[in-house]
């Protein structure tokens, strides 16, 4: 087995996991009165246009609370009082606890958590190219996510497991996520039964009862609103089941300017806000106090082709503005790091950076897709996962407070090194140089001649070596035999129960 | 001649030049008391360790003002009163006017100006590779800089013109910069005579006298402090000549943590601050009120190889913190967009992004090296120039205020598009879609199949086509024949005067 290199080790020991906080404040593109305008106009949309709610029991529930329900086309209309009354019940801050308590997450306030790519139907890597993703890809991406210190949580599914039976693949995926990683993992919210399976398995992995899990939540999911203005039944069923079980739900309208939302940023933000608030208020009206998060996913499409674009100026502004709306309502915030690039190149990096800076200084508590996301969500890339992991580690270092202990001013060293000299050999340097700076995993800082002599490897090529090495060296986090067996029995039982029945 | 494509045109018409402002405020990693500590410790360094001043007349001048001058090793020691008294004379804001007044720059306050790569001894492009740079490269980079709307000014020299005679190449470069562009251009501050030539030529290009130019400055330069603590004679001579002529001087200590400064960020920032303030105060003591700018260039070296690194967390924090120091003193701020990458790849892009975000939200008024800088300053890349130009255009869009006119809320459109429908064909979209979003020059948002069908071109390859097309279509900005001739005669006269004499 190849040796783990010194450079990689610090990023990939699994012991360098750090909870991150933003100490620098926010960048806020909206004036206070513009936030207020977006709020007022969102309320108008919910009162006049309403939201199409596809779940009959949910419509019934909302009707019982006094909402106007149009039984023919399933439109539910609500007023501001309903929304604000229920939104106020959502907790401002909470924690999520995985089986490794060192990997506990803080959600809300100025806390920042980076999540793995989730959702793509394809995987790609430099050697095997782009292909429909499989269970093997899912497992490998779990291994990379576990290995990368900068990854705090796993999204709904790193990639689709297109080679597994559709009715039971959620069990396999949850099993892999819970055994190959010990970080917080999201489940897919597609109907009540899948969510219940996921939460049961999270409880088994933690060795706690469902009641205990409800007290210290450890499962999460994300649901989208099918913008414009449709709340899907499978998604809302799953979300309500999560809420009943006391687990976290993110609600993210999918508001691409020009396609699912108008081409104007104020309009798209208003629609995002209306759709998110309606769904979050609905969840709170179902189970007051359930941990929820407001998700923003507003970007624009390329108006020539209709293809989604990310890391654009509009996307960055929307990521920043979304945080202002969340702070207005006192809700935790989810945003994303995204790119539309087809190649792991400069475009992939600068788009991802643009959206990440928007997410970070927008105040996102959860940054979805922060590693590995390509092609506007159609591909999870092994190489991009590692490059993004390196970038995120850089952000983590940047987010740490600067050490201002008196000795860090090095006034003696500055006096002692002669004018025009250098600090390489000074004791102040020698005492600190090994750990003074962020050491990247993949950035290559050699001079051109040395870089050329070592093969002229660009970032994409270096990233390939890095994920291969990481997988070769991977050891799953330990799990008690009894817990492993309880998960295996649960799955065996459920596969038998489900049979060929569609979920 | 190939046609300029629709995508490129808006970035490269030369009419889209925009003055930019930061309306979102600053990200500030230093607490108020830490800024104060840096200030106090900088003053200690200047009082105790001092600065080595290599220019005899400047030492004499400082001695006459009461500074302690050690005649043996040229160290000048100053107290806080001297520094603060003279720093207070520097203007907080001013403008720079080039021959095209539409390209006037605002320096200070929340204004942001992006500058072209400057300094590298090498050029590179995808076809011809990396080689010592020539006058042809210099001219081509001027053409690209003129073409890119996002470039506001030209730095000291885009590349070294290693094929031109050393004593007169400054004349050729200034001639190219003034005829191939009509933007603000810096000159090299290497001795008094070169600076005087540059300022004379700027005055000729503007068609004004030196007195008139002093009233509305249009020339600029950057000098470095040779950290630690050495002020070179050639550089300070040039800077003082600029000040006498009323033209702008940036003072930028070159404080790489671990090499020319201690490995600790508080120490490096303190040293940067001491060196910058000493030099700026000196310039103000020479000519009170001369337009000056505080430059920050603090990054770290790779402690394994000693090679400089950029776009690191430390570099980003230093860019942010530098702005806090400038605001403390009421001085305009220069920072940079940098990368150490050897390839135009993901690393080049994310390092540049990291440093750019640090510069922007640090409050930099001038962002040097914002397009084309590679390998820590050893190479100017044609492809990276175009990619960075595209990124900067994205920043320019992001920095514009969001249009909050009532119609931008599109409440009618949101009501009229049915739930689950789309906005592609709605009149609100059709009225706006052509100009609603930022349209990039180089980012490719096609879906994978179309991207593949069009040749699977990555960002690097697309950038090559883009600069080639831009050069093929280049037309220099018009210049009156009389002005052109006055520049040509000036150069002919000066070449004769200079002869083989070293400057």
């Amino acid at each position: 087995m190849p040796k783990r290199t010194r450079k990689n080790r610090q990023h990939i020991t699994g012991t360098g996991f750090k909870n991150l906080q933003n100490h620098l404040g926010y960048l806020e593109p909206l004036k206070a009165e513009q936030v207020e305008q977006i709020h007022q106009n969102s309320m108008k949309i919910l009162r006049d246009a309403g939201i199409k709610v596809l779940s009959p029991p949910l419509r019934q529930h909302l009707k019982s609370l006094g909402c106007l329900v149009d039984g023919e086309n399933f439109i539910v209309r609500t007023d501001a009082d309903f929304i604000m009354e229920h939104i106020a019940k959502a907790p401002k801050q909470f924690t999520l606890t995985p089986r490794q308590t060192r990997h506990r997450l803080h959600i809300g306030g100025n806390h920042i958590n980076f999540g793995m790519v989730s959702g793509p139907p394809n995987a790609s890597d430099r050697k095997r190219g782009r292909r429909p993703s499989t269970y093997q890809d899912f497992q490998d991406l779990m291994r990379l996510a576990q290995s990368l210190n900068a990854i705090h949580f796993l999204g709904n599914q790193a990639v689709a497991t297109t080679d597994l039976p559709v009715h039971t693949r959620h069990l396999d995926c949850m099993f892999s996520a819970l055994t190959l990683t010990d970080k917080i993992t999201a489940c897919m919210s597609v109907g009540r039964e899948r969510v219940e399976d996921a939460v049961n398995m999270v409880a088994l992995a933690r060795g706690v009862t469902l009641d205990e899990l409800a007290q210290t939540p450890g499962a999460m999911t994300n649901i989208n609103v099918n913008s414009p203005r449709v709340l899907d039944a499978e998604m809302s069923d799953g979300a309500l089941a999560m809420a009943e079980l006391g687990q976290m739900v993110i609600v993210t309208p999918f508001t691409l300017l020009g396609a699912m939302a108008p081409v104007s940023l104020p309009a798209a933000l208003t629609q995002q806000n209306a759709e998110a608030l309606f769904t979050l208020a609905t969840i709170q009206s179902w189970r007051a106090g359930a941990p929820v998060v407001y998700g923003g996913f507003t970007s624009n499409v390329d108006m020539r082709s209709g293809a989604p674009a990310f890391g654009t100026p509009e996307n960055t502004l929307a990521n920043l503005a979304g945080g202002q709306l969340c702070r207005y309502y006192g809700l935790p915030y989810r945003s994303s790091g995204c790119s539309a690039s087809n190649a792991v190149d400069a475009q992939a990096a600068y788009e991802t950076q643009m959206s990440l800076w928007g997410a970070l200084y927008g105040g996102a508590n959860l940054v979805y897709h922060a590693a590995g996301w390509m092609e506007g969500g159609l591909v999870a890339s092994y190489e991009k996962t590692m490059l993004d992991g390196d970038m995120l580690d850089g952000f983590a270092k940047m987010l740490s407070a600067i050490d201002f202990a008196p000795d860090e001013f090095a006034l003696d060293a500055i006096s002692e090194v002669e004018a025009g000299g250098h600090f390489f050999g000074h004791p102040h340097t020698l005492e600190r140089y090994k750990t003074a700076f962020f050491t990247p995993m993949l950035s290559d800082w050699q001079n051109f001649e040395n870089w050329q002599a070592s093969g002229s490897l660009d970032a994409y090529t270096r990233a390939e070596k890095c994920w291969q090495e990481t997988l070769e060296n991977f050891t799953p986090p330990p799990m008690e035999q009894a817990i492993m067996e309880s998960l295996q029995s649960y799955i065996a039982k459920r596969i038998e129960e489900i049979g060929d029945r569609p979920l």
Side-chain angles (χ1 to χ4, degrees), chain A:
Chain A
M1 269 215 309
K3 281 223 176 108
R4 196 171 287 179
T5 66
R6 185 164 66 83
K7 274 179 86 171
N8 288 351
R9 205 175 299 134
Q10 66 179 291
H11 301 264
I12 296 190
T13 55
T15 57
F17 184 95
K18 263 191 301 200
N19 287 120
L20 304 177
Q21 282 172 279
N22 165 18
H23 297 290
L24 304 190
Y26 308 110
L27 296 174
E28 305 202 317
L30 306 178
K31 294 175 193 150
E33 67 265 27
Q34 293 169 342
V35 172
E36 186 61 39
Q37 276 181 296
I38 290 175
H39 167 68
Q40 295 296 348
N41 284 329
S42 309
M43 294 300 121
K44 265 189 216 165
I45 292 172
L46 294 179
R47 189 192 64 199
D48 300 340
I51 301 289
K52 187 170 192 171
V53 175
L54 295 180
S55 157
L58 186 51
R59 284 201 302 276
Q60 192 51 47
H61 164 76
L62 290 167
K63 194 170 180 179
S64 76
L65 295 177
C67 302
L68 289 174
V69 178
D70 174 341
E72 199 172 325
N73 55 28
F74 307 158
I75 298 287
V76 177
R77 293 183 172 84
T78 48
D79 59 20
D81 288 348
F82 173 85
I83 298 293
M84 297 308 280
E85 176 197 334
H86 291 290
I87 285 295
K89 297 174 183 163
K92 287 186 166 36
Q93 292 206 28
F94 49 87
T95 57
L96 293 179
T97 309
R99 66 180 176 99
Q100 171 52 268
T101 52
R102 206 174 57 233
H103 294 165
R104 183 180 285 124
L105 305 185
H106 304 280
I107 313 293
N110 67 350
H111 295 282
I112 296 174
N113 300 285
F114 293 124
M116 188 70 175
V117 53
S118 79
N122 300 292
S124 86
D125 65 75
R126 200 165 165 273
K127 193 170 64 184
R128 293 171 291 182
R130 182 189 195 267
R131 72 274 175 183
S133 49
T134 63
Y135 188 45
Q136 181 66 44
D137 291 316
F138 183 92
Q139 292 176 303
D140 282 342
L141 290 166
M142 289 298 101
R143 293 180 179 104
L144 297 181
Q146 173 69 9
S147 303
L148 288 166
N149 286 330
I151 293 296
H152 294 97
F153 69 92
L154 302 319
N156 287 23
Q157 54 170 4
V159 281
T161 51
T162 55
D163 56 337
L164 291 183
V166 67
H167 302 146
T168 53
R169 60 171 72 153
H170 66 287
L171 299 166
D172 303 296
C173 289
M174 193 49 68
F175 179 76
S176 290
L178 291 172
T179 53
L180 296 175
T181 89
D182 55 12
K183 298 181 177 180
I184 285 290
T185 180
C187 64
M188 282 198 294
S189 180
V190 184
R192 180 171 280 274
E193 210 167 332
R194 285 191 180 84
V195 159
E196 286 168 352
D197 279 335
V199 176
N200 279 324
M201 290 176 74
V202 169
L204 289 174
R206 283 258 304 274
V208 298
T209 65
L210 286 182
D211 280 348
E212 287 164 339
L213 190 68
Q215 295 308 307
T216 56
M220 63 179 269
T221 194
N222 177 84
I223 68 166
N224 294 121
V225 179
N226 293 349
S227 307
R229 299 188 292 115
V230 177
L231 185 54
D232 174 71
E234 295 259 275
M235 285 213 187
S236 66
D237 284 354
L240 297 181
M242 286 292 277
E244 290 166 23
L245 292 160
Q247 306 305 307
M248 187 184 89
V249 179
I250 309 168
V251 175
T252 311
F254 193 34
T255 36
L256 285 178
L257 288 97
M260 297 88 123
V263 287
S264 308
L265 207 45
L269 288 169
T270 303
Q271 187 186 315
Q272 164 192 299
N273 197 52
E275 294 174 350
L277 288 183
F278 173 86
T279 311
L280 292 166
T282 296
I283 294 170
Q284 291 299 319
S285 78
W286 191 269
R287 278 297 179 279
V292 293
V293 175
Y294 177 121
F297 206 83
T298 293
S299 192
N300 54 300
V301 296
D302 175 4
M303 291 309 292
R304 284 185 300 269
S305 66
F310 293 98
T312 63
E314 292 79 10
N315 181 218
T316 306
L317 286 169
N319 287 358
L320 293 173
Q324 290 184 262
L325 296 169
C326 289
R327 289 188 290 283
Y328 181 84
Y329 299 110
L331 292 166
Y333 179 38
R334 169 242 151 136
S335 185
S336 307
C338 293
S339 161
S341 184
N342 290 292
V344 184
D345 60 0
Q347 180 187 338
Y350 66 67
E351 288 181 344
T352 304
Q353 278 272 330
M354 290 294 285
S355 55
L356 279 177
W357 278 88
L360 286 188
Y361 292 100
N365 305 116
L366 292 143
V367 184
Y368 256 66
H369 310 309
W373 215 68
M374 299 256 303
E375 288 186 31
L378 293 177
V379 169
S381 154
Y382 284 60
E383 285 81 14
K384 188 161 186 293
T385 296
M386 304 314 278
L387 281 163
D388 290 342
D390 205 16
M391 272 168 40
L392 297 176
D393 251 358
F395 278 114
K397 172 74 181 183
M398 193 189 79
L399 289 163
S400 321
I402 302 171
D403 183 357
F404 262 84
D407 206 33
E408 297 305 303
F409 276 103
L411 290 183
D412 291 344
I414 292 174
S415 284
E416 286 157 19
V417 170
E418 65 170 346
H422 64 75
F423 291 80
F424 283 122
H426 192 278
H428 185 274
T429 306
L430 294 176
E431 280 160 21
R432 289 166 175 76
Y433 81 96
K434 282 190 184 158
T435 56
F437 308 135
F438 172 66
T439 310
M441 177 167 67
L442 283 170
S443 293
D444 191 316
W445 296 338
Q446 296 182 89
N447 66 29
F448 183 80
E449 292 72 18
N450 290 341
W451 176 75
Q452 208 174 25
S454 59
S456 303
L457 305 182
D458 68 6
Y460 184 38
T461 315
R462 298 195 302 272
E464 181 188 30
K465 287 190 160 198
C466 186
W467 70 255
Q468 288 172 337
E469 213 175 279
T470 304
L471 290 183
E472 281 160 11
N473 287 288
F474 183 76
T475 315
M479 177 176 261
E480 279 177 38
Q481 190 56 28
I483 286 184
M484 176 70 84
E485 284 166 10
S486 72
L487 285 169
Q488 285 163 336
S489 327
Y490 183 86
I491 293 174
K493 182 190 72 162
R494 287 291 293 144
I495 288 179
E496 203 175 302
E497 279 175 17
I498 293 169
D500 290 337
R501 173 172 61 86
L503 288 191

